[in-house]
Amino acid sequence: MPQIIEVPERPYLGVRATVTTTTFAVVADRIGEIVGRLAARGHQPADAPFIRYESIDLAADRFVVQAGVPVQEPVDGEDDVFAATLPAGRYVTETHHGHPGRLADVVASVLTWTTGQGLALDLTEKDGTEHWGCRLEIYRTNPMVDPDPDNWDIDLQLRLA
């Protein structure tokens, strides 16, 4: 059952890419690089890394996404690694245990629940493309500790309007 939580602003370092369902690794695989850059500067992640969806065009198999790592305090970006802040607000959240490839069913269930509750998401649609104010997949399981994606815990967070 999804829950609604209140979340403060969260600073992070991230990278952005336009990907397809088969090229998500182009951005997701850079999380380790971001963590390494933080460590080289004497910083540790403040929370689990995430994928942030900016826009989704399912018909064209095109996603604009970010891979990000939360930090305690804002940290300057460099090169194509940028500093930003996740917006504060109310978020619908649900935890998924299992392979990330099965998240689509969880998303569909959360969207149905949200609609049934009469809640509006921070989401607009234009020409078949969804534009999200803040939609996150937060990867709670460290793949270096447990490389089996069937054992991963992933939080889905969708910001409410």
Side-chain angles (χ1 to χ4, degrees), residues 31-133:
I31 289 172
E33 172 192 343
I34 298 168
V35 171
R37 286 183 186 218
L38 285 169
R41 294 159 81 181
H43 298 281
Q44 294 296 319
D47 200 357
F50 59 84
I51 299 294
R52 180 180 184 178
Y53 291 78
E54 292 182 16
S55 66
I56 300 172
D57 183 343
L58 289 177
D61 190 26
R62 182 178 182 274
F63 304 81
V64 177
V65 296
Q66 300 175 18
V69 178
V71 292
Q72 287 289 17
E73 302 173 352
V75 176
D76 290 335
E78 59 183 328
D79 304 323
D80 67 336
V81 177
F82 59 87
T85 303
L86 296 172
R90 294 174 54 223
Y91 286 75
V92 174
T93 186
E94 178 72 283
T95 298
H96 166 68
H97 179 80
H99 198 286
R102 292 191 293 274
L103 271 171
D105 291 339
V106 176
V107 171
S109 175
V110 169
L111 292 175
T112 298
W113 181 87
T114 302
T115 300
Q117 298 296 309
L119 300 169
L121 294 167
D122 186 1
L123 165 68
T124 58
E125 187 172 333
K126 183 177 180 189
D127 300 327
T129 300
E130 297 175 348
H131 299 276
W132 289 86

Side-chain angles (χ1 to χ4, degrees), residues 1 4 9 19 22 31 48 62 65 74-75 79-81 91 103 113 133 136 138 140-142 146 156:
M1 173 77 78
I4 298 174
E9 284 188 339
V19 298
T22 59
I31 289 172
R62 182 178 182 274
V65 296
V75 176
D79 304 323
D80 67 336
V81 177
Y91 286 75
L103 271 171
W113 181 87
L136 304 170
I138 302 172
R140 298 288 176 196
T141 304
N142 183 338
D146 189 347
L156 177 67

